[in-house]
Coordinates of all heavy atoms in Angstrom, one line a residue:
P96 N 36.1 136.6 28.8 CA 36.2 136.3 30.2 C 36.6 137.5 31.0 O 37.4 138.4 30.6 CB 37.3 135.3 30.3 CG 37.3 134.7 28.8 CD 36.8 135.7 27.9
I97 N 36.2 137.6 32.3 CA 36.6 138.6 33.2 C 38.0 138.5 33.5 O 38.5 137.4 33.6 CB 35.7 138.5 34.6 CG1 34.2 138.7 34.2 CG2 36.2 139.5 35.6 CD1 33.7 140.0 34.0
K98 N 38.7 139.6 33.6 CA 40.1 139.6 33.8 C 40.4 138.8 35.1 O 39.9 138.9 36.1 CB 40.7 141.1 34.0 CG 42.2 141.1 34.1 CD 42.6 142.5 34.2 CE 44.1 142.6 34.5 NZ 44.6 143.9 34.7
G99 N 41.4 137.9 35.0 CA 41.9 137.1 36.1 C 40.9 135.8 36.4 O 41.4 135.0 37.3
V100 N 39.9 135.6 35.6 CA 39.0 134.5 36.0 C 39.7 133.2 35.6 O 39.5 132.2 36.4 CB 37.7 134.6 35.2 CG1 37.7 134.3 33.8 CG2 36.5 133.8 36.0
E101 N 40.4 133.1 34.7 CA 41.1 131.8 34.4 C 42.1 131.5 35.4 O 42.2 130.2 35.8 CB 41.7 131.8 33.0 CG 42.2 130.5 32.5 CD 42.5 130.5 31.0 OE1 42.4 131.4 30.3 OE2 42.8 129.3 30.5
Q102 N 42.8 132.4 35.9 CA 43.8 132.1 37.1 C 43.1 131.7 38.3 O 43.5 130.7 39.0 CB 44.6 133.4 37.3 CG 45.7 133.8 36.2 CD 44.9 134.7 35.2 OE1 43.8 134.8 35.1 NE2 45.8 135.1 34.2
F103 N 41.9 132.3 38.5 CA 41.1 131.9 39.7 C 40.6 130.4 39.5 O 40.6 129.6 40.4 CB 39.9 132.8 39.9 CG 39.1 132.6 41.1 CD1 39.8 132.5 42.4 CD2 37.7 132.3 41.1 CE1 39.0 132.3 43.4 CE2 37.0 132.1 42.2 CZ 37.5 132.0 43.4
L104 N 40.2 130.1 38.3 CA 39.5 128.8 38.0 C 40.8 127.7 38.2 O 40.5 126.7 38.7 CB 38.9 128.7 36.7 CG 37.7 129.6 36.4 CD1 37.2 129.5 35.0 CD2 36.5 129.0 37.4
E105 N 41.9 128.1 37.7 CA 43.1 127.2 37.9 C 43.4 127.0 39.2 O 43.7 125.9 39.7 CB 44.4 127.8 37.1 CG 44.4 127.7 35.7 CD 44.6 126.1 35.2 OE1 45.3 125.4 36.0 OE2 44.1 125.8 34.2
H106 N 43.3 128.1 40.2 CA 43.5 127.9 41.6 C 42.5 127.0 42.3 O 42.8 126.0 43.0 CB 43.5 129.2 42.3 CG 43.4 129.1 43.7 ND1 44.5 128.8 44.5 CD2 42.4 129.2 44.7 CE1 44.2 128.5 45.8 NE2 42.9 129.0 45.9
L107 N 41.3 127.1 41.8 CA 40.3 126.2 42.3 C 40.4 124.8 41.9 O 40.3 123.9 42.7 CB 38.8 126.7 41.8 CG 38.3 128.1 42.4 CD1 37.1 128.5 41.7 CD2 38.3 128.2 43.9
K108 N 40.7 124.6 40.6 CA 41.1 123.3 40.1 C 42.3 122.7 40.9 O 42.2 121.5 41.2 CB 41.3 123.4 38.7 CG 41.5 122.0 38.0 CD 41.7 122.2 36.4 CE 42.2 120.9 35.8 NZ 42.3 121.2 34.3
A109 N 43.3 123.4 41.1 CA 44.5 122.9 41.7 C 44.1 122.6 43.2 O 44.8 121.7 43.8 CB 45.5 123.9 41.7
S110 N 43.2 123.2 43.7 CA 42.7 122.9 45.1 C 41.7 121.7 45.2 O 41.2 121.4 46.2 CB 42.0 124.1 45.8 OG 42.9 125.3 45.7
D111 N 41.5 121.1 44.1 CA 40.7 119.8 44.0 C 39.2 120.2 44.3 O 38.5 119.4 44.9 CB 41.2 118.7 44.9 CG 42.5 118.0 44.3 OD1 42.5 118.0 43.1 OD2 43.3 117.7 45.2
L112 N 38.8 121.4 44.1 CA 37.5 121.8 44.3 C 36.7 121.6 43.1 O 37.0 121.7 41.9 CB 37.3 123.3 44.7 CG 37.9 123.7 45.9 CD1 38.2 125.1 46.0 CD2 37.1 123.3 47.1
K113 N 35.4 121.0 43.2 CA 34.4 121.1 42.1 C 34.0 122.4 41.8 O 33.7 123.1 42.7 CB 33.4 120.0 42.4 CG 33.7 118.6 42.7 CD 32.8 117.7 42.0 CE 33.1 116.2 42.2 NZ 34.1 115.7 41.4
I114 N 33.7 122.7 40.6 CA 33.3 124.1 40.3 C 32.1 124.0 39.3 O 32.0 123.3 38.4 CB 34.5 124.8 39.4 CG1 35.8 124.7 40.0 CG2 34.1 126.2 39.2 CD1 37.0 125.1 39.3
A115 N 31.1 124.7 39.7 CA 29.8 124.7 39.0 C 29.3 126.1 38.7 O 29.8 127.1 39.4 CB 28.8 124.0 39.8
I116 N 28.4 126.2 37.8 CA 27.8 127.5 37.5 C 26.4 127.5 37.7 O 25.7 126.6 37.4 CB 28.0 127.9 36.0 CG1 29.6 128.2 35.7 CG2 27.3 129.2 35.6 CD1 29.9 128.4 34.2
A117 N 25.9 128.5 38.5 CA 24.4 128.6 38.8 C 24.0 130.0 38.1 O 24.6 131.0 38.5 CB 24.1 128.6 40.2
S118 N 23.1 130.0 37.2 CA 22.8 131.2 36.2 C 21.4 131.2 35.8 O 20.9 130.0 35.6 CB 24.0 131.4 35.2 OG 23.6 132.6 34.5
S119 N 20.9 132.3 35.7 CA 19.6 132.4 35.0 C 19.7 132.5 33.4 O 18.8 132.3 32.8 CB 18.9 133.7 35.5 OG 19.6 134.9 35.1
S120 N 21.0 132.5 33.1 CA 21.3 132.5 31.6 C 21.1 131.0 31.2 O 21.3 130.0 31.8 CB 22.7 132.8 31.3 OG 22.9 134.2 31.3

Side-chain angles (χ1 to χ4, degrees):
I97 297 288
K98 183 180 178 183
V100 77
E101 191 163 3
Q102 293 85 350
F103 183 60
L104 294 172
E105 277 294 327
H106 168 76
L107 296 175
K108 183 178 175 181
S110 300
D111 291 324
L112 291 165
K113 298 226 183 270
I114 311 168
I116 292 174
S118 176
S119 61
S120 287

